[in-house]
Amino acid sequence: MLEIAELRKVYESPNRSVEAIRSLTFSVGAGELVCVVGPSGCGKTTLLRSIAGLLPVSGGQVRVAGVPVTGPPPRMAVVFQEYGRSLFPWMTVRQNVELPLKEKRVPRPRRLELVRESLESVGLTDAADAHPWQLSGGMQQRVAIARAVAYEPQVLLMDEPFAAVDAQTRADLEDLILALWRDLGVTILFVTHDIDEAVYLGQRVIVLSSSPTVIMEDLKIDLPAQRDQLTTRSLPRFGELRGHIYERIQRAREAR
Amino acid sequence: MKAGVRGKAGVRVVRLFGLPVLLVLGWWLVSGRSFYLPDPVRVARAFGQTWFSARVFDDVLPSIGRLLAGYALATVLGVGLGVPIGLSPRLRATLEPVLEFFRAIPPPVLVPLLMLLAGIDTPMKVLVIVSGCVWPILLNTVEGVRALDEVLADTCRMYGVHGATRLRRFVLRGASPQIMAGLRQALSIGIILMVISEMFASSSGLGFTIVLFQRQFQIAEMWSGILLLGLIGLTLSLLFRFVERRVLSWYYGAGAARA
């Protein structure tokens, strides 16, 4: 579904160039949930923006369902970290979710159905007519997730979506993502700096080095498919995987 | 309880009208000492006689009409040019120094020039108003569009929001707090220029009438004209505030939520 081949990104400015990403090659199968972790400043956001077609790459290629990415692909949605800035404050929750569907020219009855279903799936049916700033941070991120879900994407990119919410909300939102992923069969690439989160959510975890970025490890997470905040996180295997990734990232930071 | 509510309402009335009443009393005390300072009753009488007459149609309404026409034209021009300039860094780099220069020219000095180019009638007066009002609107629009949130811009790109919808639902709405600030400045400038444009080579309008009264030593009438200008300004600013509250309700709400 998602193929990244020898992706390279160099930020050029008149008097110096910074190599952010040296070379990344990996793929994400249809319906997979893959997490990307790495030390801070390792170019996670650069990678995600390149895949989303928001940033021109310096080399290599990104393909979505076989089609090379030159701009934002039509059936891709992104949930940004800055929920407070990714929702239109002058629109209600409903209008925020509906706007992309209007632009996609989804007929009105289907549009209303998608809006209703997606808000229901994130538990925000009652907040449909509120404005984003009237909601808590976690609820605002739910709106952004509902908007992505209603858009019916093949690929959903998430850029540290829960980095700015409190721990309890974060656990709830992680489970929400798992539930939506199972129900919708969407392909998800989830970028995070939180190793626990990556292991808990992912079927695979891709560990990045520090910048200029290469892949240190592409790790299969062999935990039971049915995840649960309490039992999954207390499995011995969970601790092993977390420890392993932690060690790799420590090494990546020392190598810098 | 009831007494408390009434007490609160009383406090509000005193807050609202206390100072104006004191000012009128003060005016009363100093008036009469000079021929040029008639007392409030005389000015009030002159106000009634002067302005509740054909002058409403001959002078007041045409003045306000020109003000609104100039203001509307300046809005279309300022926002219409400000949006592309704000969106394009290259255009901005080229135009901004020139715009700052034009803005620095005080609009009243354009009156003699515009008289040569556009005559002395309505077009000249509207142009004078436009020439002053357009700058705060234009520069604030540029600033507002330039400062649009990047994450929202990315969101638009990701979800295929482009063209006219992007302009209407994102660019204009996102820049509206600054655009409204520009419109507010432009409104007071517009009122000043409305009066000034009528003081040169004119035969009607509020500015002309006030100067005429002064020359004919109709001092109470002259004062009543100034009073009327104040009232017009106040009314327009209240109307503006009403519109602003509606247009920017999300902005004030979001601001209160952050605080």
Side-chain angles (χ1 to χ4, degrees), chain A residues 49 52-54 71-73 76-80 82 85-91 95 99-100 102-103 131 133 144 147-148 151, chain B residues 148-152 154-163 165-166 168-171 173-175 249-254 257:
Chain A
R49 286 173 54 87
L54 292 170
M76 183 185 275
V78 177
V79 175
F80 294 99
E82 305 92 338
R85 291 167 58 197
S86 81
L87 299 171
F88 298 96
W90 46 87
M91 293 183 202
Q95 289 167 332
L99 181 68
K102 278 188 176 168
E103 284 299 278
H131 285 266
W133 38 267
R147 178 170 63 187
Y151 197 60
Chain B
L148 283 172
D149 197 296
E150 284 166 38
V151 178
L152 276 183
D154 280 349
T155 303
C156 283
R157 286 184 65 191
M158 263 344 276
Y159 288 109
V161 178
H162 51 72
T165 315
R166 181 172 188 275
R168 204 161 50 90
R169 299 295 210 96
F170 170 51
V171 176
R173 286 312 292 271
S249 60
W250 62 271
Y251 180 70
Y252 295 125

Short mmCIF file of all heavy atoms in Angstrom, two decimals, chain A residues 49 52-54 71-73 76-80 82 85-91 95 99-100 102-103 131 133 144 147-148 151, chain B residues 148-152 154-163 165-166 168-171 173-175 249-254 257:
data_model
loop_
_atom_site.label_atom_id
_atom_site.label_comp_id
_atom_site.label_asym_id
_atom_site.label_seq_id
_atom_site.Cartn_x
_atom_site.Cartn_y
_atom_site.Cartn_z
N ARG A 49 5.86 14.21 6.51
CA ARG A 49 5.45 15.25 5.56
C ARG A 49 5.86 14.88 4.13
O ARG A 49 5.17 15.25 3.18
CB ARG A 49 6.01 16.60 5.97
CG ARG A 49 5.29 17.20 7.19
CD ARG A 49 5.99 18.46 7.69
NE ARG A 49 6.16 19.44 6.63
CZ ARG A 49 5.25 20.34 6.31
NH1 ARG A 49 4.13 20.40 6.97
NH2 ARG A 49 5.47 21.19 5.33
N ALA A 52 3.35 12.39 2.95
CA ALA A 52 2.06 13.03 2.73
C ALA A 52 2.05 13.91 1.48
O ALA A 52 1.01 14.41 1.08
CB ALA A 52 1.68 13.88 3.94
N GLY A 53 3.25 14.10 0.88
CA GLY A 53 3.30 14.94 -0.30
C GLY A 53 3.26 16.42 0.03
O GLY A 53 3.00 17.26 -0.83
N LEU A 54 3.52 16.75 1.30
CA LEU A 54 3.52 18.16 1.71
C LEU A 54 4.92 18.76 1.55
O LEU A 54 5.07 19.98 1.62
CB LEU A 54 3.08 18.29 3.18
CG LEU A 54 1.62 17.96 3.49
CD1 LEU A 54 1.39 17.90 4.99
CD2 LEU A 54 0.70 18.99 2.86
N GLY A 71 2.14 15.19 -4.77
CA GLY A 71 1.43 16.13 -3.90
C GLY A 71 0.59 15.29 -2.98
O GLY A 71 0.66 14.07 -3.04
N PRO A 72 -0.21 15.91 -2.11
CA PRO A 72 -1.03 15.10 -1.20
C PRO A 72 -1.90 14.10 -1.97
O PRO A 72 -2.68 14.50 -2.83
CB PRO A 72 -1.89 16.15 -0.51
CG PRO A 72 -1.05 17.38 -0.52
CD PRO A 72 -0.31 17.34 -1.82
N PRO A 73 -1.74 12.80 -1.71
CA PRO A 73 -2.53 11.79 -2.43
C PRO A 73 -4.01 11.90 -2.06
O PRO A 73 -4.33 12.23 -0.92
CB PRO A 73 -1.95 10.46 -1.93
CG PRO A 73 -0.66 10.80 -1.28
CD PRO A 73 -0.80 12.18 -0.78
N MET A 76 -5.55 9.86 1.19
CA MET A 76 -4.70 9.82 2.37
C MET A 76 -5.18 10.90 3.33
O MET A 76 -5.56 11.98 2.91
CB MET A 76 -3.25 10.09 1.98
CG MET A 76 -2.28 9.99 3.15
SD MET A 76 -0.62 10.46 2.64
CE MET A 76 -0.01 8.92 1.97
N ALA A 77 -5.19 10.58 4.63
CA ALA A 77 -5.56 11.56 5.63
C ALA A 77 -4.44 11.65 6.66
O ALA A 77 -3.69 10.70 6.86
CB ALA A 77 -6.86 11.18 6.31
N VAL A 78 -4.32 12.82 7.27
CA VAL A 78 -3.29 13.03 8.29
C VAL A 78 -3.93 13.54 9.56
O VAL A 78 -4.84 14.36 9.52
CB VAL A 78 -2.23 14.05 7.82
CG1 VAL A 78 -1.20 14.29 8.93
CG2 VAL A 78 -1.51 13.58 6.57
N VAL A 79 -3.46 13.02 10.70
CA VAL A 79 -3.82 13.62 11.99
C VAL A 79 -2.54 14.25 12.52
O VAL A 79 -1.55 13.55 12.75
CB VAL A 79 -4.37 12.56 12.97
CG1 VAL A 79 -4.61 13.19 14.34
CG2 VAL A 79 -5.66 11.96 12.43
N PHE A 80 -2.56 15.57 12.68
CA PHE A 80 -1.37 16.28 13.11
C PHE A 80 -1.27 16.30 14.63
O PHE A 80 -2.25 16.11 15.34
CB PHE A 80 -1.40 17.73 12.60
CG PHE A 80 -1.31 17.85 11.11
CD1 PHE A 80 -2.45 18.03 10.34
CD2 PHE A 80 -0.08 17.77 10.47
CE1 PHE A 80 -2.37 18.14 8.97
CE2 PHE A 80 0.00 17.89 9.10
CZ PHE A 80 -1.14 18.07 8.34
N GLU A 82 -0.58 18.96 16.40
CA GLU A 82 -1.12 20.20 16.96
C GLU A 82 -2.62 20.25 16.72
O GLU A 82 -3.09 20.95 15.83
CB GLU A 82 -0.45 21.41 16.32
CG GLU A 82 1.05 21.44 16.39
CD GLU A 82 1.72 20.82 15.18
OE1 GLU A 82 1.07 20.00 14.49
OE2 GLU A 82 2.90 21.13 14.93
N ARG A 85 -4.37 23.49 16.27
CA ARG A 85 -4.13 24.28 15.07
C ARG A 85 -4.58 23.58 13.80
O ARG A 85 -4.46 24.15 12.72
CB ARG A 85 -2.64 24.62 14.97
CG ARG A 85 -2.18 25.59 16.05
CD ARG A 85 -0.67 25.66 16.13
NE ARG A 85 -0.09 26.05 14.84
CZ ARG A 85 1.20 25.88 14.54
NH1 ARG A 85 2.00 25.32 15.39
NH2 ARG A 85 1.65 26.25 13.37
N SER A 86 -5.04 22.36 13.90
CA SER A 86 -5.43 21.67 12.68
C SER A 86 -6.95 21.68 12.47
O SER A 86 -7.44 21.26 11.44
CB SER A 86 -4.92 20.23 12.67
OG SER A 86 -5.76 19.39 13.41
N LEU A 87 -7.68 22.19 13.46
CA LEU A 87 -9.13 22.33 13.30
C LEU A 87 -9.44 23.80 13.04
O LEU A 87 -8.79 24.68 13.60
CB LEU A 87 -9.86 21.86 14.56
CG LEU A 87 -9.65 20.40 14.94
CD1 LEU A 87 -10.24 20.12 16.30
CD2 LEU A 87 -10.26 19.48 13.90
N PHE A 88 -10.45 24.06 12.21
CA PHE A 88 -10.82 25.44 11.91
C PHE A 88 -11.65 26.00 13.07
O PHE A 88 -12.75 25.53 13.32
CB PHE A 88 -11.63 25.51 10.62
CG PHE A 88 -10.86 25.03 9.42
CD1 PHE A 88 -10.98 23.73 8.97
CD2 PHE A 88 -9.99 25.87 8.75
CE1 PHE A 88 -10.25 23.28 7.87
CE2 PHE A 88 -9.27 25.45 7.65
CZ PHE A 88 -9.39 24.14 7.22
N PRO A 89 -11.10 26.99 13.78
CA PRO A 89 -11.80 27.47 14.98
C PRO A 89 -13.12 28.18 14.67
O PRO A 89 -13.95 28.30 15.56
CB PRO A 89 -10.80 28.43 15.63
CG PRO A 89 -9.85 28.81 14.54
CD PRO A 89 -9.82 27.67 13.58
N TRP A 90 -13.29 28.64 13.43
CA TRP A 90 -14.54 29.35 13.10
C TRP A 90 -15.63 28.39 12.63
O TRP A 90 -16.70 28.83 12.26
CB TRP A 90 -14.29 30.43 12.04
CG TRP A 90 -13.45 29.95 10.89
CD1 TRP A 90 -13.90 29.33 9.76
CD2 TRP A 90 -12.03 30.05 10.76
NE1 TRP A 90 -12.84 29.03 8.94
CE2 TRP A 90 -11.69 29.47 9.53
CE3 TRP A 90 -11.02 30.57 11.58
CZ2 TRP A 90 -10.37 29.40 9.08
CZ3 TRP A 90 -9.71 30.50 11.12
CH2 TRP A 90 -9.40 29.91 9.90
N MET A 91 -15.33 27.12 12.61
CA MET A 91 -16.35 26.15 12.21
C MET A 91 -16.71 25.28 13.42
O MET A 91 -15.90 25.07 14.31
CB MET A 91 -15.82 25.22 11.12
CG MET A 91 -15.54 25.90 9.81
SD MET A 91 -15.01 24.66 8.62
CE MET A 91 -14.16 25.69 7.45
N GLN A 95 -18.99 20.95 10.98
CA GLN A 95 -18.50 21.59 9.76
C GLN A 95 -17.04 21.21 9.48
O GLN A 95 -16.65 21.04 8.32
CB GLN A 95 -18.61 23.12 9.89
CG GLN A 95 -20.05 23.60 9.84
CD GLN A 95 -20.18 25.05 10.29
OE1 GLN A 95 -19.38 25.55 11.08
NE2 GLN A 95 -21.19 25.73 9.78
N LEU A 99 -16.27 19.53 5.86
CA LEU A 99 -15.63 20.32 4.81
C LEU A 99 -14.87 19.49 3.77
O LEU A 99 -15.09 19.66 2.56
CB LEU A 99 -14.73 21.39 5.43
CG LEU A 99 -14.02 22.30 4.41
CD1 LEU A 99 -15.03 23.19 3.70
CD2 LEU A 99 -12.96 23.16 5.09
N PRO A 100 -13.98 18.56 4.20
CA PRO A 100 -13.25 17.78 3.19
C PRO A 100 -14.20 16.95 2.31
O PRO A 100 -13.92 16.74 1.13
CB PRO A 100 -12.35 16.86 4.02
CG PRO A 100 -12.24 17.52 5.34
CD PRO A 100 -13.53 18.23 5.56
N LYS A 102 -17.24 17.80 1.42
CA LYS A 102 -17.83 18.71 0.43
C LYS A 102 -16.87 18.90 -0.72
O LYS A 102 -17.27 18.90 -1.88
CB LYS A 102 -18.11 20.07 1.08
CG LYS A 102 -19.40 20.14 1.85
CD LYS A 102 -19.65 21.57 2.29
CE LYS A 102 -20.99 21.71 2.98
NZ LYS A 102 -21.11 23.01 3.65
N GLU A 103 -15.58 19.07 -0.39
CA GLU A 103 -14.59 19.28 -1.44
C GLU A 103 -14.43 18.04 -2.30
O GLU A 103 -14.08 18.13 -3.46
CB GLU A 103 -13.24 19.66 -0.81
CG GLU A 103 -13.19 21.08 -0.33
CD GLU A 103 -13.42 22.09 -1.44
OE1 GLU A 103 -12.48 22.40 -2.18
OE2 GLU A 103 -14.57 22.55 -1.56
N HIS A 131 -17.92 24.42 19.05
CA HIS A 131 -16.71 24.83 18.35
C HIS A 131 -15.52 24.13 19.00
O HIS A 131 -15.55 23.84 20.19
CB HIS A 131 -16.55 26.36 18.43
CG HIS A 131 -17.48 27.08 17.51
ND1 HIS A 131 -17.13 27.46 16.24
CD2 HIS A 131 -18.76 27.48 17.68
CE1 HIS A 131 -18.15 28.06 15.66
NE2 HIS A 131 -19.16 28.09 16.51
N TRP A 133 -12.72 25.00 20.14
CA TRP A 133 -12.09 25.58 21.33
C TRP A 133 -12.96 25.43 22.57
O TRP A 133 -12.53 25.75 23.67
CB TRP A 133 -11.76 27.06 21.08
CG TRP A 133 -12.79 27.80 20.28
CD1 TRP A 133 -12.78 27.97 18.92
CD2 TRP A 133 -13.96 28.46 20.76
NE1 TRP A 133 -13.87 28.69 18.53
CE2 TRP A 133 -14.62 29.01 19.64
CE3 TRP A 133 -14.51 28.65 22.03
CZ2 TRP A 133 -15.81 29.73 19.75
CZ3 TRP A 133 -15.69 29.37 22.13
CH2 TRP A 133 -16.32 29.90 21.00
N ALA A 144 -10.33 15.63 15.10
CA ALA A 144 -9.39 15.48 13.98
C ALA A 144 -9.40 14.03 13.48
O ALA A 144 -9.32 13.77 12.28
CB ALA A 144 -7.98 15.89 14.41
N ARG A 147 -12.58 13.48 11.52
CA ARG A 147 -12.47 14.07 10.19
C ARG A 147 -11.68 13.15 9.26
O ARG A 147 -12.07 12.95 8.10
CB ARG A 147 -11.77 15.43 10.29
CG ARG A 147 -11.57 16.10 8.95
CD ARG A 147 -11.10 17.52 9.10
NE ARG A 147 -9.79 17.58 9.74
CZ ARG A 147 -9.19 18.71 10.12
NH1 ARG A 147 -9.80 19.86 9.95
NH2 ARG A 147 -8.00 18.67 10.68
N ALA A 148 -10.59 12.56 9.79
CA ALA A 148 -9.79 11.64 8.98
C ALA A 148 -10.60 10.40 8.61
O ALA A 148 -10.58 9.95 7.48
CB ALA A 148 -8.52 11.25 9.73
N TYR A 151 -13.27 10.85 5.94
CA TYR A 151 -12.68 11.05 4.62
C TYR A 151 -12.47 9.73 3.89
O TYR A 151 -12.17 9.70 2.72
CB TYR A 151 -11.34 11.77 4.81
CG TYR A 151 -10.76 12.42 3.59
CD1 TYR A 151 -11.45 13.42 2.91
CD2 TYR A 151 -9.49 12.07 3.12
CE1 TYR A 151 -10.89 14.03 1.80
CE2 TYR A 151 -8.93 12.67 2.01
CZ TYR A 151 -9.64 13.67 1.36
OH TYR A 151 -9.09 14.27 0.27
N LEU B 148 -1.33 33.35 8.45
CA LEU B 148 -2.25 32.21 8.53
C LEU B 148 -1.52 30.98 9.06
O LEU B 148 -0.34 30.79 8.78
CB LEU B 148 -2.80 31.89 7.13
CG LEU B 148 -3.90 32.83 6.64
CD1 LEU B 148 -4.21 32.53 5.18
CD2 LEU B 148 -5.15 32.70 7.47
N ASP B 149 -2.23 30.18 9.82
CA ASP B 149 -1.61 29.04 10.47
C ASP B 149 -1.13 27.99 9.45
O ASP B 149 -1.90 27.57 8.58
CB ASP B 149 -2.61 28.40 11.43
CG ASP B 149 -1.91 27.48 12.41
OD1 ASP B 149 -1.31 26.47 11.97
OD2 ASP B 149 -1.96 27.78 13.60
N GLU B 150 0.13 27.57 9.59
CA GLU B 150 0.69 26.61 8.64
C GLU B 150 0.05 25.23 8.77
O GLU B 150 -0.10 24.53 7.77
CB GLU B 150 2.19 26.46 8.88
CG GLU B 150 3.01 27.61 8.36
CD GLU B 150 4.42 27.57 8.92
OE1 GLU B 150 4.98 26.48 9.04
OE2 GLU B 150 4.94 28.65 9.24
N VAL B 151 -0.28 24.85 9.99
CA VAL B 151 -0.90 23.53 10.17
C VAL B 151 -2.26 23.51 9.47
O VAL B 151 -2.63 22.54 8.81
CB VAL B 151 -1.03 23.19 11.66
CG1 VAL B 151 -1.71 21.85 11.84
CG2 VAL B 151 0.33 23.17 12.33
N LEU B 152 -3.00 24.62 9.57
CA LEU B 152 -4.29 24.69 8.87
C LEU B 152 -4.08 24.67 7.36
O LEU B 152 -4.87 24.07 6.63
CB LEU B 152 -5.05 25.95 9.28
CG LEU B 152 -5.86 25.87 10.57
CD1 LEU B 152 -6.61 27.17 10.80
CD2 LEU B 152 -6.86 24.71 10.51
N ASP B 154 -1.62 23.17 5.79
CA ASP B 154 -1.34 21.77 5.47
C ASP B 154 -2.62 20.95 5.48
O ASP B 154 -2.82 20.07 4.64
CB ASP B 154 -0.37 21.18 6.50
CG ASP B 154 1.08 21.56 6.21
OD1 ASP B 154 1.32 22.11 5.12
OD2 ASP B 154 1.94 21.33 7.08
N THR B 155 -3.48 21.22 6.47
CA THR B 155 -4.76 20.50 6.56
C THR B 155 -5.57 20.71 5.28
O THR B 155 -6.12 19.76 4.73
CB THR B 155 -5.55 21.00 7.78
OG1 THR B 155 -4.76 20.82 8.95
CG2 THR B 155 -6.86 20.24 7.93
N CYS B 156 -5.62 21.95 4.80
CA CYS B 156 -6.34 22.24 3.55
C CYS B 156 -5.75 21.43 2.40
O CYS B 156 -6.48 20.84 1.61
CB CYS B 156 -6.25 23.72 3.21
SG CYS B 156 -7.36 24.74 4.18
N ARG B 157 -4.41 21.40 2.31
CA ARG B 157 -3.78 20.68 1.21
C ARG B 157 -4.10 19.19 1.30
O ARG B 157 -4.43 18.55 0.30
CB ARG B 157 -2.26 20.87 1.24
CG ARG B 157 -1.83 22.25 0.78
CD ARG B 157 -0.32 22.35 0.74
NE ARG B 157 0.27 21.47 -0.26
CZ ARG B 157 1.58 21.22 -0.34
NH1 ARG B 157 2.41 21.76 0.52
NH2 ARG B 157 2.04 20.41 -1.27
N MET B 158 -3.99 18.63 2.51
CA MET B 158 -4.22 17.19 2.67
C MET B 158 -5.63 16.80 2.27
O MET B 158 -5.85 15.76 1.69
CB MET B 158 -4.03 16.81 4.15
CG MET B 158 -2.70 16.25 4.57
SD MET B 158 -1.57 15.65 3.36
CE MET B 158 -2.11 13.98 3.05
N TYR B 159 -6.59 17.64 2.66
CA TYR B 159 -7.99 17.27 2.43
C TYR B 159 -8.56 17.89 1.16
O TYR B 159 -9.78 18.00 1.02
CB TYR B 159 -8.83 17.63 3.66
CG TYR B 159 -8.55 16.73 4.84
CD1 TYR B 159 -7.86 17.19 5.94
CD2 TYR B 159 -8.97 15.40 4.82
CE1 TYR B 159 -7.60 16.35 7.03
CE2 TYR B 159 -8.72 14.56 5.89
CZ TYR B 159 -8.03 15.04 6.99
OH TYR B 159 -7.77 14.21 8.04
N GLY B 160 -7.67 18.34 0.29
CA GLY B 160 -8.13 18.81 -1.02
C GLY B 160 -9.00 20.05 -0.96
O GLY B 160 -9.82 20.28 -1.86
N VAL B 161 -8.82 20.88 0.08
CA VAL B 161 -9.58 22.14 0.14
C VAL B 161 -8.78 23.19 -0.63
O VAL B 161 -7.69 23.57 -0.21
CB VAL B 161 -9.77 22.60 1.61
CG1 VAL B 161 -10.52 23.92 1.65
CG2 VAL B 161 -10.52 21.53 2.38
N HIS B 162 -9.30 23.62 -1.79
CA HIS B 162 -8.53 24.55 -2.62
C HIS B 162 -9.47 25.53 -3.31
O HIS B 162 -10.69 25.45 -3.16
CB HIS B 162 -7.69 23.78 -3.65
CG HIS B 162 -8.51 22.78 -4.43
ND1 HIS B 162 -9.41 23.16 -5.39
CD2 HIS B 162 -8.59 21.43 -4.36
CE1 HIS B 162 -10.00 22.09 -5.89
NE2 HIS B 162 -9.53 21.02 -5.28
N GLY B 163 -8.86 26.42 -4.08
CA GLY B 163 -9.64 27.35 -4.89
C GLY B 163 -10.51 28.27 -4.06
O GLY B 163 -10.09 28.77 -3.02
N THR B 165 -13.16 27.73 -2.26
CA THR B 165 -13.49 27.28 -0.90
C THR B 165 -12.36 27.60 0.06
O THR B 165 -12.58 28.06 1.17
CB THR B 165 -13.73 25.76 -0.88
OG1 THR B 165 -14.55 25.42 -1.98
CG2 THR B 165 -14.38 25.34 0.41
N ARG B 166 -11.13 27.36 -0.40
CA ARG B 166 -9.98 27.66 0.44
C ARG B 166 -9.96 29.15 0.79
O ARG B 166 -9.74 29.53 1.93
CB ARG B 166 -8.71 27.25 -0.30
CG ARG B 166 -7.45 27.48 0.49
CD ARG B 166 -6.25 26.87 -0.24
NE ARG B 166 -5.08 26.92 0.61
CZ ARG B 166 -4.28 27.98 0.70
NH1 ARG B 166 -4.54 29.05 0.00
NH2 ARG B 166 -3.24 27.96 1.50
N ARG B 168 -12.43 31.29 0.81
CA ARG B 168 -13.56 31.73 1.62
C ARG B 168 -13.53 31.12 3.03
O ARG B 168 -13.74 31.80 4.02
CB ARG B 168 -14.86 31.31 0.92
CG ARG B 168 -16.08 32.10 1.25
CD ARG B 168 -17.13 31.89 0.17
NE ARG B 168 -17.34 30.49 -0.10
CZ ARG B 168 -18.25 29.72 0.54
NH1 ARG B 168 -19.02 30.25 1.44
NH2 ARG B 168 -18.40 28.45 0.24
N ARG B 169 -13.23 29.82 3.08
CA ARG B 169 -13.35 29.12 4.36
C ARG B 169 -12.07 29.16 5.18
O ARG B 169 -12.10 28.93 6.38
CB ARG B 169 -13.73 27.65 4.12
CG ARG B 169 -15.05 27.45 3.44
CD ARG B 169 -16.19 27.93 4.31
NE ARG B 169 -17.38 27.18 4.03
CZ ARG B 169 -17.76 26.11 4.75
NH1 ARG B 169 -17.06 25.73 5.78
NH2 ARG B 169 -18.85 25.48 4.43
N PHE B 170 -10.95 29.41 4.52
CA PHE B 170 -9.69 29.40 5.26
C PHE B 170 -9.01 30.77 5.25
O PHE B 170 -8.84 31.39 6.30
CB PHE B 170 -8.76 28.33 4.68
CG PHE B 170 -7.35 28.39 5.20
CD1 PHE B 170 -7.11 28.43 6.57
CD2 PHE B 170 -6.27 28.42 4.32
CE1 PHE B 170 -5.81 28.49 7.06
CE2 PHE B 170 -4.97 28.48 4.81
CZ PHE B 170 -4.75 28.52 6.17
N VAL B 171 -8.68 31.29 4.06
CA VAL B 171 -7.86 32.50 3.99
C VAL B 171 -8.59 33.70 4.60
O VAL B 171 -8.09 34.34 5.52
CB VAL B 171 -7.45 32.79 2.52
CG1 VAL B 171 -6.68 34.09 2.44
CG2 VAL B 171 -6.61 31.64 1.98
N ARG B 173 -11.41 33.83 6.41
CA ARG B 173 -11.81 33.64 7.81
C ARG B 173 -10.61 33.71 8.74
O ARG B 173 -10.66 34.32 9.81
CB ARG B 173 -12.53 32.30 7.99
CG ARG B 173 -13.93 32.24 7.44
CD ARG B 173 -14.80 33.39 7.82
NE ARG B 173 -15.15 33.48 9.22
CZ ARG B 173 -16.21 32.90 9.77
NH1 ARG B 173 -17.03 32.20 9.03
NH2 ARG B 173 -16.46 33.05 11.04
N GLY B 174 -9.52 33.09 8.32
CA GLY B 174 -8.33 33.08 9.16
C GLY B 174 -7.74 34.47 9.34
O GLY B 174 -7.21 34.79 10.41
N ALA B 175 -7.85 35.29 8.31
CA ALA B 175 -7.29 36.64 8.39
C ALA B 175 -8.30 37.64 8.94
O ALA B 175 -7.96 38.81 9.15
CB ALA B 175 -6.81 37.09 7.00
N SER B 249 -17.02 36.07 16.48
CA SER B 249 -17.43 35.41 17.73
C SER B 249 -16.50 34.23 18.04
O SER B 249 -16.12 34.01 19.19
CB SER B 249 -18.88 34.95 17.63
OG SER B 249 -19.00 34.04 16.56
N TRP B 250 -16.09 33.49 17.02
CA TRP B 250 -15.19 32.35 17.24
C TRP B 250 -13.86 32.82 17.80
O TRP B 250 -13.24 32.15 18.62
CB TRP B 250 -14.95 31.61 15.92
CG TRP B 250 -14.29 32.44 14.88
CD1 TRP B 250 -14.90 33.24 13.95
CD2 TRP B 250 -12.89 32.60 14.65
NE1 TRP B 250 -13.97 33.87 13.17
CE2 TRP B 250 -12.72 33.49 13.57
CE3 TRP B 250 -11.75 32.07 15.25
CZ2 TRP B 250 -11.49 33.88 13.08
CZ3 TRP B 250 -10.51 32.45 14.75
CH2 TRP B 250 -10.38 33.35 13.68
N TYR B 251 -13.42 34.01 17.35
CA TYR B 251 -12.11 34.50 17.73
C TYR B 251 -12.10 34.89 19.21
O TYR B 251 -11.20 34.53 19.96
CB TYR B 251 -11.76 35.70 16.85
CG TYR B 251 -10.43 36.32 17.12
CD1 TYR B 251 -9.25 35.65 16.79
CD2 TYR B 251 -10.33 37.58 17.69
CE1 TYR B 251 -8.03 36.22 17.02
CE2 TYR B 251 -9.10 38.16 17.92
CZ TYR B 251 -7.96 37.48 17.58
OH TYR B 251 -6.73 38.05 17.82
N TYR B 252 -13.14 35.62 19.63
CA TYR B 252 -13.23 36.00 21.04
C TYR B 252 -13.45 34.77 21.90
O TYR B 252 -12.89 34.66 22.99
CB TYR B 252 -14.35 37.02 21.24
CG TYR B 252 -14.09 38.32 20.55
CD1 TYR B 252 -15.00 38.87 19.65
CD2 TYR B 252 -12.90 39.01 20.77
CE1 TYR B 252 -14.74 40.06 19.00
CE2 TYR B 252 -12.63 40.20 20.13
CZ TYR B 252 -13.55 40.72 19.24
OH TYR B 252 -13.28 41.88 18.59
N GLY B 253 -14.26 33.84 21.40
CA GLY B 253 -14.51 32.60 22.15
C GLY B 253 -13.24 31.81 22.35
O GLY B 253 -12.92 31.37 23.45
N ALA B 254 -12.46 31.64 21.25
CA ALA B 254 -11.22 30.88 21.34
C ALA B 254 -10.23 31.59 22.26
O ALA B 254 -9.51 30.95 23.02
CB ALA B 254 -10.61 30.70 19.94
N ALA B 257 -11.18 30.92 25.73
CA ALA B 257 -10.92 29.53 26.09
C ALA B 257 -9.44 29.32 26.42
O ALA B 257 -9.09 28.50 27.26
CB ALA B 257 -11.34 28.60 24.95
#
